[in-house]
Amino acid sequence: MGQIKELLAPAGSLEAFYAGVASGADAIYLGGKAFSARASASNFSLEEIEEAVTYAHIHQVGVHVATNILIGEEEMEEALAYVHDLYRVGVDAVIVQDLGLAQLIRQNFPDLDLHGSTQMTVMDLEGAKFLEDLGFSRVVVARETPLDQIEKIARKTSLEVEVFAHGALCVAISGQCLMSSFIGGRSGNRGACAQPCRKPYDILKRGEEKVLGQGYMLSPKDLNTIDRLSDWAQAGVYSLKLEGRMKSPAYVAAITRNYRRALDGKTYSSQDMAQAFNRGFTQGLSFGDFGESYASVHRPDNRGLRVGKVRDIRGKRIQLLLEEDLRKGDLLEFSLPRERKKTHKLEGDLREGLHNLNLPFRPLNRSEIRRIISQDQLDQVAKDLKKQEGTLPLKGHLTLEVGQVPRLLLKGKRQVEVEGSLPVQKAQKAPLSQERIRESLEKFGSSVFYLEDLTLDFRGQADIFLPIKELNYLRREALKAYEDLYQGKRPGKASLNFYRETPTRENRETVLAARVDSLALLKRLDLGRLGRVYYSQLEDLEAAADFLKDYPGDFYLSLDLGVPHQRVEAALRKLARRPDGLLVANYGQMVHFKGAYPLHLGSGFNIFNGWSLSRLLEEAGEFTLSLENHHQQLAAFYRDFGQLGHIPVYGYQKLMTLKHCPMALIKKCQAPRPCKTCNFREGYGLRDGRGAYFPIVRREDISSLYNSLPTYLGGELEDLLRMGPQSLLLDFHFQEEDVEGIIEAFAQALSGQTASLKDLNDHFQKEGHTKGHWNRGIF
């Protein structure tokens, strides 16, 4: 369909930034010290971003800055001021997750390119069209997006399509993972993910019987699509994103260098890329990898490259059989008993073959040796940077006239002239020679520019004098002024516009609502106590609708992420009683079904501030605010906007939505997958090292991983009702839950009888529960 236009490299530091430029990137993405989804990276100060922009633009490379986290109400002024600074220093684009921030950026900086982060969960044409209508110029599609949808987006919108092409993968659908957030308060939506997906788990049946021993069931291999570039191009991909803002400059250089070579039709080195960092490689979900071809079950970290094995151990003498030459500075990894690993840095070069080595530890005999860090790759970064120096020629013209300050003109594709600070003097003794002038002005150091030619104009006066430090000053000022021409600085705005609509709605009496995932659970509901029922199981939807045909309350279909719109429509056409509305999970579903049904926008829209809500009020009338809001944030939303929708008060919270299925590691299944009839589709889960058990349910080729404890807010009922939600939501997923008792207790409490709710409070206090982010919020 087209040609890939951009190779986008990561940078978590200035060193990595320079490495990416030197290795052939067309653009670099980075994050600042705040508002970035890689909070643990070194990241860039504003001054460093300004320096990076200048350096990149000289090399005709773009700079994209990630501001891709959710922004709290009280942070929005600071966040927009930060974007204002980025705008002024000349960055080419900002990458945004938060819809409210995006609205304000478009409002204040209409000429600044907006890129929709993968955290916005855009995985189809309709979601992309929504961003296009908001003024975005690019969408970074979700990693799970099928190729046919990527092609539709590229063909039917004006958006540039950016895909993740290489590096670490999130196992959950981006923007929809709450596992780190709910376990420890470190939210991926705020750039603070603790990566529980990289921890070991057992797979258990019914929480007790181990069916697969400890392994890294949620840890994906690293993405590597260098062999699929023609497929990306055919689908209309504009930009290939290389992941790695947490990685070293050597990694950035190696990966960028090889993708550059591949895009240019040259030979590349898979071994070079694997040496840089790898957890094993997968081509990813877009290209059909699944199960063992997707997950890095045996280890979650860098495994480097095998370079030999331990041949024999005699006392402290370790005999190595090396399969290739090694360099001083290489970091080797050895295996120890109980699956432990130790590293050793070589103090000298070693040739291929047999060697004896003294180690401060005892590795396993006959175990393999792996090189984790290659000194050759470290040296290559320095070589590549050195090659950048002095590659662009400039012509100079120096004017020296007695009694006047000197003037130096530099001319290349652009032109600049600067004046000195001291006037030129008539020489009293030895005049300033032309050789001395040239020697001083040609010292461009590590700059990409060099002085190709210099003309001197003495205005007919040969006997002149000027201190050498003045010539050095003139050179520095001229070179800096010339480089600054590439920065692309823009004028600042006098003031920023924070306007938003805040329409309020009249509150109705709060009712009780329930959501269920199966027909069996639906039949256990006391429908007379409920003002609304949400049903989320497409497979039994016809039977559920029939069961609810005489139910006087609202019947809503709750949609999961990743389910094709056509699949939903086919199920809806069969119903005798059509739903009264839909609970939708992302922008694509919202756009597709808008107008056909009343919509409730679910918690996956990550509404974290009033600007986001104000914009989404144009699309729907009901909302579940982000589950990462604490109670004071929720109260502010309801105070400012009136009745909004439901607040979940009970249920095992879904922590992850995944295309990956951990059960496939047992079944070894590939496409087409018989999820509908699979014996592992429910009743199984993961147990972590603390003994917590996380149930998993597979539906419609999508896995849902639930929290080990239920969220329960029965003890906060007074505060909840004071907010005035439309309904309190009870979320039921498992047959073991006390559906009848929980509904009864909340129903009685809403009618003023609190005894049963107090008993329920005591029960959960004893058995264990979480209040989610009600009290603590997120980092």
Side-chain angles (χ1 to χ4, degrees), residues 381-455:
V381 177
K383 290 178 184 176
D384 289 344
L385 290 175
K386 194 69 177 174
K387 289 178 184 176
Q388 296 289 105
E389 297 177 9
T391 56
L392 299 179
L394 295 178
K395 296 183 184 298
H397 184 90
L398 178 65
T399 302
L400 297 172
E401 183 178 357
V402 173
Q404 303 296 319
V405 294
R407 301 193 308 276
L408 177 60
L409 180 144
L410 291 180
K411 184 175 182 180
K413 290 184 176 180
R414 306 178 188 195
Q415 179 175 308
V416 69
E417 185 176 46
V418 298
E419 293 184 344
S421 59
L422 298 174
V424 178
Q425 304 169 30
K426 186 172 179 61
Q428 299 298 318
K429 297 180 181 179
L432 187 63
S433 69
Q434 292 190 23
E435 291 75 14
R436 194 73 178 91
I437 292 172
R438 293 180 188 278
E439 180 183 344
S440 178
L441 294 185
E442 287 174 355
K443 292 179 179 178
F444 275 26
S446 61
S447 173
V448 66
F449 297 107
Y450 72 96
L451 197 58
E452 179 186 47
D453 183 53
L454 176 65
T455 59

Side-chain angles (χ1 to χ4, degrees), residues 97-278:
Q97 173 188 12
D98 191 277
L99 185 63
L101 178 61
Q103 285 287 103
L104 288 175
I105 292 172
R106 185 48 58 242
Q107 208 166 282
N108 286 275
F109 313 108
D111 57 333
L112 178 60
D113 277 357
L114 264 179
H115 295 180
S117 168
T118 189
Q119 294 287 114
M120 298 187 89
T121 324
V122 173
M123 47 204 318
D124 55 28
L125 174 62
E126 290 87 348
K129 280 184 173 293
F130 180 68
L131 296 195
E132 182 182 35
D133 291 343
L134 290 173
F136 282 78
S137 61
R138 179 180 298 190
V139 57
V140 187
V141 294
R143 297 168 180 89
E144 300 78 11
T145 308
L147 281 179
D148 64 335
Q149 285 297 326
I150 291 174
E151 186 173 356
K152 286 180 182 178
I153 294 169
R155 187 159 35 88
K156 296 185 177 182
T157 74
S158 63
L159 296 172
E160 299 167 351
V161 179
E162 180 178 309
V163 298
F164 279 84
H166 194 100
L169 286 167
C170 290
V171 70
I173 295 176
S174 296
Q176 305 300 319
C177 182
L178 296 173
M179 194 167 187
S180 174
S181 176
F182 266 66
I183 290 175
R186 294 180 56 180
S187 169
N189 284 315
R190 296 280 290 173
C193 180
Q195 295 190 313
C197 53
R198 302 295 184 192
K199 302 295 184 184
Y201 297 90
D202 299 317
I203 295 182
L204 303 185
K205 183 178 182 179
R206 302 295 176 193
E208 297 175 355
E209 179 188 345
K210 186 188 294 187
V211 295
L212 189 61
Q214 199 168 77
Y216 299 92
M217 314 300 181
L218 295 176
S219 180
K221 296 177 180 178
D222 283 351
L223 186 63
N224 182 344
T225 65
I226 199 164
D227 293 329
R228 307 304 295 258
L229 299 188
S230 60
D231 296 296
W232 286 135
Q234 184 64 30
V237 167
Y238 182 94
S239 175
L240 290 181
K241 171 173 274 181
L242 310 177
E243 183 279 334
R245 284 201 283 141
M246 301 288 289
K247 302 291 200 315
S248 69
Y251 170 89
V252 173
I255 303 306
T256 306
R257 176 171 61 245
N258 283 286
Y259 271 84
R260 177 77 276 153
R261 292 186 66 84
L263 286 169
D264 292 345
K266 299 177 182 177
T267 302
Y268 61 87
S269 171
S270 296
Q271 186 169 0
D272 191 31
M273 292 194 296
Q275 181 63 80
F277 191 99
N278 81 91

Side-chain angles (χ1 to χ4, degrees), residues 640-741:
D640 292 344
F641 289 90
Q643 197 165 70
L644 294 170
H646 64 230
I647 296 178
V649 294
Y650 168 81
Y652 284 85
Q653 177 58 46
K654 186 188 296 186
L655 300 183
M656 284 188 180
T657 302
L658 318 95
K659 287 289 286 185
H660 168 59
C661 179
M663 305 307 137
L665 303 174
I666 300 172
K667 287 197 66 180
K668 317 294 184 188
C669 53
Q670 294 290 330
R673 292 181 281 274
C675 298
K676 190 179 294 188
T677 57
C678 178
N679 292 331
F680 292 90
R681 57 189 266 164
E682 56 188 328
Y684 294 81
L686 303 180
R687 181 177 63 190
D688 69 9
R690 301 173 295 111
Y693 176 71
F694 301 89
I696 297 176
V697 176
R698 185 80 175 174
R699 295 279 189 271
E700 302 287 339
D701 206 24
I702 299 287
S703 293
S704 298
L705 184 146
Y706 295 94
N707 203 0
S708 58
L709 291 172
T711 300
Y712 178 72
L713 296 178
E716 316 300 330
L717 185 63
E718 187 175 334
D719 287 336
L720 286 162
L721 293 178
R722 192 177 295 117
M723 292 180 197
Q726 180 179 321
S727 59
L728 303 180
L729 179 69
L730 308 175
D731 215 346
F732 300 110
H733 302 287
F734 311 109
Q735 287 296 325
E736 297 79 10
E737 296 176 84
D738 182 14
V739 175
E740 296 82 0

Side-chain angles (χ1 to χ4, degrees), residues 31 43 55 66 85 105 122 328 403 416 491 500 618 627 655 657 773:
N43 290 320
Y55 186 86
D85 288 335
I105 292 172
V122 173
K328 177 183 178 180
V416 69
R500 75 179 186 211
E618 299 175 27
L627 300 178
L655 300 183
T657 302
H773 291 291

